[in-house]
Structures are given as C-alpha cells and as structure tokens.
Amino acid sequence: MHDRRPVLSTQSSHRPLSRSLLSARKFALMASVVAGLGAGAVGLGHGPFDLIATPAHAQQVGANVQPSQQPVGFADIVDKVKPSVISVKVNIADKMAKNEDREDFSLPPGSPMERFFRRFGGEMPPGLRGHRGGGMITGQGSGFFISADGYAVTNNHVVEGADKVEVTTDDGKTHKAKVIGTDPRTDLALIKVEGASNFPYAKLSEGKPRIGDWVLAVGNPFGLGGTVTAGIVSAMGRDIGNGPYDDFIQIDAPVNKGNSGGPAFNTAGEVVGVNTAIYSPSGGSIGIAFSIPANTVKAVVEQLKDRGTVSRGWIGVQVQPVTPEIADSLGLKKAEGALVAEPQSNGPAAKAGIESGDVITAVDGTSVKDARELARTIGAFAPGHSVKLTVFHKGKERELTLTLGELPNKIEASNNTDRGDRGGANQGLDLPKLGLTLAPASSVAGAGKDGVVVTDVDPKGAAADRGFKEGDVILEVAGKNVSSPADVRDVLAAAKTENKNSVLVRVRSGGASRFVAIPIAKG
C-alpha cells in the first residue's frame, strides 16, 4: 500500500504563485500572533510582554496534579476463579427437534421457562441455540467445578435430553462428562467429568449477597468461551414465573446466550449464584439477568449427588398471596402469610385440620411473608420431617403439628372449563353492582352440584377487575357455603349491614380454587 498524500496542485505553472501566497500568509499570521500576544501581555500583566525572555511563565500540563488512586480491578480475582469454569457442549438426538418452528432447543415447548420468556416477548434464556446436522442437535452452555474429583454444576436446560456431554476446561482440554442428576424445578443439573481428580474448583458462598455488591459472571457466551463480565447485584428475591421456588438474584453483569449454567462470583471469589436466564427483547444483554442463589444450589446438589433426584417436603395445599383486601376481609392486621385456597384431599394439611380460608403465618415459629416463602420453606425440608404451623383460623390463631409428605413429581388437576349446554342459565340472578349474573351450579350442565355459576360478567364491573369470568363457580362467600344466587345476595347484604368494606369469595376456576376479595357496594 502506498502512502498517497493530498496534492495541492498538479500544474507546475501554479507552484510559484502558491509559494508566494503561502509566504505572505505565513508572515501576516505570525505578525498577528505576536501582536496579539503582546497586547494580551500588556492588558493582563504588569509590564510589556517579552516573548523570548519569559519562558518561566509557561507550565507543563498536569505538573501540579496530584496522582489519584487507581480503581481496583478484578484481574487478581479472575486469575483465581476462571480455571474452575467450564464450557459445556451437548449432543441431543433429533427426536428433540420435532418442532420445526423453534430454533432454540434448550427449552421444551410449554416448559415454565419458555412460558416466562414468551410472556415477556423476548428471547429465550442464555443457553443453547441448537444447530442441526447429521440427525443431531448440538448446543453449548457453561458450568463450573464444585470439587476436585470432577463434579460440576450447570443448568438443567443445558443438558436436558442430552445423549452426549463434553466439557472444555480453561486450559483448552476436552473431557467427557455424564449427567448425575437434574432438578427441573430449580433448573439445576449435576454432571461428573471423567479423566482427572485434580480439577480446580469453586466454593459456593455461605452468605447472601447484598443489593449493590459487585459480581463477576464467567462463562461461554455465544460459544466464545472464557469470557468475564462485571456488574452489581440489582435486586433480590425475583419471581420470574418459573415455579413456586423462584428466588432469583438479579444482576446487571452482561450475560448472553451460552452463559447458562455459569457462575456469578463475588469479590471474595465465591459463587453467589448460577446464571440461568435473561430478559432481553433483542436477544442480547440489556443488563437484566437472573441467577439461582448459592444456598439453593447447595441444597439441590447435595441431593443430586446422593440420589440423582431431589425430594421436597409437601403439605398438600393450594395457596395464594394475602392482599390488603383479603387481610381486611379476614381481620388480619398485616397482609402477610399464605392463604389456603384449598387443602388437597388426604394431604398432610387436610389431615391436620387445615381448611380453606386459613392463613399460614409461620413455620416452626418463623414468620411466613407470602405464599412463595411458604413453598420454599416447606420444600427445604425432607419428607417425613415434622413441622409446627401457625394458622389464622376464623379470626383466631392456632398451632398445628404435621408430618410432611413428599412433593409429587406431577400433581394432576382438572382443566376442564367446558360447562356444556347451560340450558337457560342466563335466567339467573343479576348482581349489577358487582357486574355478575349467577345461576345454581346444579342447573348448569358440567358445573357440578356445589356453588353457583358465573353465567355473565360485565367487563366494566368490579368482578371483572378481579378476574372473574364466565364459567367460574363461587363456592363460598364470607366463609359460608352458597348453593343459590339468593345465598350470595343474602351474605353480601349481611356484610353490608356489618359495615364491612369487602368480603372473601372462594372461586373454582379451571379445576383450581382461589380466594378473591370483592368490595361491598355502599350505595
């Protein structure tokens, strides 16, 4: 390549003229500069300005600037922790690729994680983007060693359905690995790398991070391997709709596809979380990523290592949050605890005497903030463990002791919302102030014998605002069973006479029960 400089003139006849003009301009410019400096010196100083004799007045830029302390970097921490992080490559048989419309094969269709990201309208978690070839799907994720003998943690959605797993360590070596066990409910998996017993490993943190703490995410984004990003803990206790055990750490360290299963380190070099998901309309990092807390990882990994599966304690109830309206309806001082929508037949809670409408406020003397906290607390105990529950029952507090069962792998629930031919059900009672039209359940085909059926909902009414829809069955109002629209009207009238602001209604919808607080019209 030639260094071609701009040509001012290509005609030789112009050169003497150009030089002459240039010389004249230089002279004029120098004269004006000197005159200006002299004038400035006279105007600003105490005497005439001597251009040659006063060089001492000039100062070197930065001569008197005091050096500041350099920001602390993360290089020393990275040197220590990076060797424990691995890239995970999997091969999945083509049977997983039957859905031709999906490019991301890390999540099975309809899984909770997939529903979460589709609900937000963004891309799938930072994990595996499958590539077809030779009847197999390949993908890449991340992980990290937790012991020198080759046990490593990654995400369930990274290795789910894998026929072959390989890991690449920080030194570039490739090893075969096998899946020891997985836990879809927390999206964690334990794998065992073969071939050595002196792998560098990371320590899971004993404590919880605080909002604002530094974190380092290390992983294999987009298959690049060995990438380190930094950020802070943005929030704690995030629920992203993955399940009842959601308790994610939100971080803003850039996390992308392929970081799934990789660790988030604190400045002590300990793992505070396992990166599992991002929210991203574009598919790349926008500073919102979610990590599974280290204490959850530790509890799950211990069981996976011992048995290959995870078993959790279970009390057998459908629970929901206690809203301020519900708390007011029940007479609770605080909107805390877990409201029992329905105890499962023959479950531990039902056998102990817990009923619909009870609020579980504490477990073994420790307060329960909400329904999710109850699920996490009970799930942390082993089946067969005995717990003492504090329950708010019909305006009074009582304590019950029960033995936990084992959480079923899958709880069957009826989702049949087809009520069939309603045969004149619209002739039921109107409750215009709530925006509901009701009919006895026994008069509506497919609605069962108990309660009253919602046959019409005014979209502008108070009931519609609280989620009522046609086909819902109202079983209780203010703790009393109802079997006719007149029963509902009478209970509401009594509540109005007692100057209550709202009443609690138990509703069955799609095979599941829930409580809804509806306002009492004062007019």
Side-chain angles (χ1 to χ4, degrees):
M1 181 180 293
H2 298 286
D3 183 11
R4 301 185 62 184
R5 302 182 185 276
V7 179
L8 296 178
S9 175
T10 57
Q11 297 183 14
S12 59
S13 60
H14 290 175
R15 289 173 185 167
L17 179 60
S18 299
R19 290 171 182 168
S20 176
L21 289 173
L22 184 60
S23 298
R25 289 171 182 162
K26 284 183 178 180
F27 180 82
L29 179 61
M30 291 177 63
S32 65
V33 170
V34 172
L37 289 173
V42 172
L44 298 176
H46 299 285
F49 182 82
D50 188 342
L51 186 63
I52 299 177
T54 57
H57 289 279
Q59 291 186 353
Q60 180 183 355
V61 174
N64 294 325
V65 176
Q66 296 296 322
S68 61
Q69 185 176 1
Q70 282 191 334
V72 177
F74 303 108
D76 290 340
I77 301 172
V78 173
D79 284 345
K80 294 179 180 179
V81 303
K82 192 165 172 281
S84 67
V85 183
I86 57 177
S87 297
V88 181
K89 181 180 178 181
V90 301
N91 289 334
I92 304 173
D94 202 37
K95 62 186 177 182
M96 296 290 290
K98 292 182 179 179
N99 189 341
E100 300 291 337
D101 296 330
R102 299 179 70 249
E103 292 182 354
D104 190 305
F105 302 101
S106 61
L107 299 177
S111 69
M113 291 289 285
E114 184 196 48
R115 290 197 301 270
F116 167 71
F117 287 94
R118 293 203 182 283
R119 186 174 77 235
F120 277 95
E123 294 287 336
M124 296 299 169
L128 311 177
R129 180 163 296 276
H131 301 283
R132 300 176 187 273
M136 298 291 290
I137 301 168
T138 64
Q140 292 184 329
S142 303
F144 61 98
F145 288 114
I146 57 169
S147 63
D149 56 354
Y151 282 99
V153 172
T154 185
N155 279 148
N156 171 66
H157 78 257
V158 169
V159 298
E160 186 176 18
D163 297 289
K164 180 181 178 182
V165 180
E166 290 183 344
V167 305
T168 302
T169 54
D170 190 54
D171 58 9
K173 295 180 180 178
T174 300
H175 304 267
K176 293 182 179 179
K178 61 180 180 180
V179 178
I180 301 299
T182 63
D183 181 36
R185 285 189 170 98
T186 57
D187 196 26
L188 288 170
L190 181 67
I191 62 176
K192 179 72 163 62
V193 178
E194 304 169 352
S197 58
N198 59 344
F199 292 108
Y201 62 94
K203 177 185 177 182
L204 294 169
S205 176
E206 298 287 344
K208 291 184 177 181
R210 298 185 304 164
I211 296 173
D213 281 351
W214 281 108
V215 287
L216 301 176
V218 188
N220 181 35
F222 302 110
L224 296 173
T227 299
V228 181
T229 55
I232 63 169
V233 174
S234 304
M236 298 289 293
R238 286 300 198 209
D239 177 7
I240 65 174
N242 187 44
Y245 306 104
D246 281 11
D247 187 27
F248 291 100
I249 302 168
Q250 181 182 325
I251 65 175
D252 71 351
V255 170
N256 291 286
K257 294 180 178 68
N259 273 108
S260 280
F265 290 100
N266 60 19
T267 53
E270 300 171 335
V271 176
V272 295
V274 176
N275 301 320
T276 189
I278 62 172
Y279 168 60
S280 173
S282 64
S285 172
I286 61 169
I288 300 178
F290 302 99
S291 298
I292 306 165
N295 58 352
T296 300
V297 177
K298 187 177 299 183
V300 170
V301 164
E302 286 177 357
Q303 292 198 52
L304 292 179
K305 188 175 181 180
D306 290 341
R307 300 191 298 272
T309 59
V310 176
S311 60
R312 293 179 171 87
W314 175 68
I315 60 176
V317 291
Q318 292 181 16
V319 291
Q320 66 181 81
V322 177
T323 65
E325 285 183 324
I326 289 176
D328 181 69
S329 300
L330 293 173
L332 282 169
K333 295 180 180 179
K334 295 181 180 180
E336 294 182 353
L339 175 63
V340 178
E342 187 174 357
Q344 185 164 331
S345 178
N346 295 321
K351 292 178 180 179
I354 292 177
E355 301 175 2
S356 296
D358 288 351
V359 178
I360 299 174
T361 58
V363 177
D364 290 337
T366 301
S367 297
V368 172
K369 183 179 179 181
D370 53 30
R372 286 197 304 126
E373 187 169 77
L374 175 66
R376 291 197 302 269
T377 301
I378 296 298
F381 293 120
H385 183 80
S386 179
V387 296
K388 181 170 64 176
L389 302 181
T390 304
V391 179
F392 190 79
H393 174 77
K394 295 183 178 179
K396 295 182 180 180
E397 195 173 84
R398 62 174 180 169
E399 290 186 348
L400 301 172
T401 300
L402 56 81
T403 300
L404 300 179
E406 182 174 355
L407 180 69
N409 289 329
K410 186 177 182 181
I411 299 176
E412 299 293 339
S414 172
N415 290 315
N416 181 19
T417 58
D418 181 12
R419 303 300 179 188
D421 181 10
R422 288 181 167 77
N426 288 327
Q427 301 301 317
L429 174 70
D430 286 331
L431 296 175
K433 292 181 179 179
L434 290 177
L436 288 177
T437 301
L438 306 176
S442 58
S443 68
V444 179
K449 297 180 180 180
D450 300 326
V452 293
V453 178
V454 176
T455 59
D456 190 46
V457 181
D458 181 355
K460 296 181 180 180
D465 290 340
R466 285 154 178 79
F468 280 88
K469 61 182 183 295
E470 185 179 346
D472 286 350
V473 179
I474 296 176
L475 300 171
E476 295 178 8
V477 180
K480 298 179 180 179
N481 294 329
V482 292
S483 58
S484 69
D487 290 343
V488 177
R489 180 187 57 198
D490 292 344
V491 174
L492 293 177
K496 182 178 178 181
T497 302
E498 296 171 5
N499 291 320
K500 291 187 176 181
N501 295 319
S502 60
V503 295
L504 208 58
V505 177
R506 185 160 73 97
V507 184
R508 185 176 69 230
S509 179
S513 296
R514 74 182 192 279
F515 279 94
V516 181
I518 58 175
I520 300 296
K522 300 298 183 181

